[in-house]
Amino acid sequence: MDLRHNFPARALRIAMAALIYVVLGVATVSAQISGTFTIGSGGTYATFTDAVTALGSGVNGPVTFNVLTGIYTEQFTIPAVSGVSATNRITFQAQTGNAGDVTLRFAPTSGANYIVYLNGADFVTFTKMTFAVQGAGSYGVIFRLAGDANNNTISNSILSGINVNSSSAQWADILVDNQPVDQLTVSGN
């Protein structure tokens, strides 16, 4: 009997190949996350970017990222995250509770004028951290919000932008693009 033309045998080979593909981890499926994690050297995630990547599959409960003491030179975007709500917030905070212990800094450019870009992200809180624009360049936005980013909070933090005598938005500590943003809370900064 020629098995090359035997449909059940061929179907079995295809099914076995698919099983091996999944078992060996060639195809990965990420799960939604919830709980408390750390960001920093030796933490759950080494960088803010790594933590944001983990949010890509969504959340199924509140998520808190306790940031270990240190200086982080990063720029990142948080897009819309599935599963967020008033109950299932995403929070980034200094693990010590002291804003001076964690500094997130970056030198924005004309093509990417921000340190943190909330592009459609809802229910995100940044608290008890320092955000600093590096250098004295022509661009200096710390937080940029767009894409209907709603219900976000920036609290009890230090925002250290560029001190210029200008009304230009390119140096705003918090910039909302020409799109609606509801319930942005900025307090204690």
Side-chain angles (χ1 to χ4, degrees):
M1 174 181 232
D2 186 357
L3 291 180
R4 289 177 295 176
H5 301 294
N6 185 335
F7 179 74
R10 184 166 185 243
L12 181 61
R13 285 194 310 268
I14 291 170
M16 290 300 293
L19 180 62
I20 291 169
Y21 185 77
V22 172
V23 169
L24 292 179
V26 178
T28 58
V29 177
S30 299
Q32 292 182 319
I33 65 170
S34 64
T36 302
F37 306 94
T38 53
I39 296 174
S41 180
T44 313
Y45 303 102
T47 65
F48 282 87
T49 302
D50 293 341
V52 170
T53 299
L55 294 170
S57 294
V59 302
N60 59 3
V63 175
T64 300
F65 294 107
N66 288 320
V67 185
L68 302 175
T69 298
I71 297 172
Y72 301 83
T73 304
E74 286 190 70
Q75 176 187 57
F76 58 91
T77 298
I78 304 177
V81 177
S82 66
V84 295
S85 66
T87 303
N88 294 345
R89 291 193 74 83
I90 300 165
T91 302
F92 294 84
Q93 64 187 11
Q95 184 180 39
T96 63
N98 182 348
D101 289 345
V102 171
T103 299
L104 177 60
R105 65 184 187 181
F106 196 78
T109 64
S110 63
N113 188 8
Y114 59 87
I115 295 175
V116 177
Y117 187 13
L118 300 178
N119 189 9
D122 298 331
F123 297 104
V124 178
T125 296
F126 290 90
T127 187
K128 300 177 183 168
M129 296 176 15
T130 297
F131 300 88
V133 174
Q134 286 186 286
S138 298
Y139 302 92
V141 172
I142 296 174
F143 286 95
R144 182 175 180 179
L145 290 84
D148 203 27
N150 298 317
N151 301 294
N152 295 301
T153 301
I154 303 164
S155 67
N156 302 310
S157 293
I158 299 167
L159 306 181
S160 181
I162 295 176
N163 187 7
V164 295
N165 187 13
S166 173
S167 60
S168 173
Q170 68 193 29
W171 291 293
D173 287 348
I174 301 170
L175 174 66
V176 176
D177 284 349
N178 295 323
Q179 299 171 6
V181 170
D182 298 324
Q183 301 299 319
L184 172 61
T185 303
V186 180
S187 67
N189 298 300

